[in-house]
Amino acid sequence: MVQCEMCGAETASPKTVKVEGAELDVCDDCADFGTEVKTQQSSSTSTKYSTSSSSSSSSSSSSSSSSGGSGGGGSSRRRSDMFDDMDELAQDYDERIRRAREDRGLSQSDLANELNEKASLIRKLERGDTLPSDKVQSKLERFLEINLDMGGGSDEDSDWDSGSSTTTTLGDVVKRKD
C-alpha cells in the first residue's frame, strides 16, 4: 500500500496527476484536483522486452519492491535537503562582530569602509537586527579573523551525533524550563 501524497490515505493503486506543476501520486479521490499524467514507463518497458508477459512481471516486481523499499528506507535514513549543507550562524554573532571590531580599534564606519559595505549594515548586524548574507559573513570572517558559524562541541549537538544505533526521540532531547 502506498500513501496518497495529498491526503495521506493508503491506496493500492495510486494515480500520477499534475497539480500546479508538481507530479504527485494520489488516491482516486484526490485525482480530481489535477490532470492525470500518462507515464512513459509502460511503453518503454514494452519496447525493452520482447514479450508482454515478461514486461508485466518485471514492472509488477519493481513496483512492489519500490513501495516496500520506500517504507523501510524512510524509517532507517532521513532524506537530505538543502539545509544539511548550510552552516548555522552562531546566536551571539552580533557580539562576536562588535568585540572583534573593538579589539582592532575600528569604528563601525571604518569597518564598513574596509568591507565596502554601508555603516548602517554594520550597526544592524551588531545590534542583531539583521542576519549577514553569506557574502557579508565571509567578508567579516576574513577581515576580522573570526568564525560566525555555530561552534562545535555544544552538548546539544553531541546528543544528535552520538552515532548509537538506538532511536532518539524528542523526549530524549528536550530540556524542560521548570
Side-chain angles (χ1 to χ4, degrees), residues 30-106:
C30 295
D32 297 334
F33 291 111
T35 56
E36 189 167 354
V37 177
K38 302 293 183 207
T39 58
Q40 299 295 329
Q41 184 179 10
S42 62
S43 65
S44 65
T45 54
S46 63
T47 58
K48 283 183 183 178
Y49 302 99
S50 59
T51 63
S52 61
S53 63
S54 66
S55 66
S56 65
S57 66
S58 68
S59 66
S60 67
S61 66
S62 67
S63 67
S64 66
S65 66
S66 67
S67 66
S70 65
S75 63
S76 65
R77 202 173 68 200
R78 187 177 66 87
R79 236 162 111 191
S80 66
D81 56 22
M82 63 183 255
F83 298 108
D84 291 339
D85 299 332
M86 296 173 61
D87 293 327
E88 193 170 343
L89 191 65
Q91 289 185 349
D92 64 339
Y93 73 93
D94 50 346
E95 295 172 19
R96 292 183 189 187
I97 295 170
R98 182 184 45 78
R99 199 176 319 117
R101 176 185 57 81
E102 289 173 350
D103 288 347
R104 286 170 176 62
L106 295 172

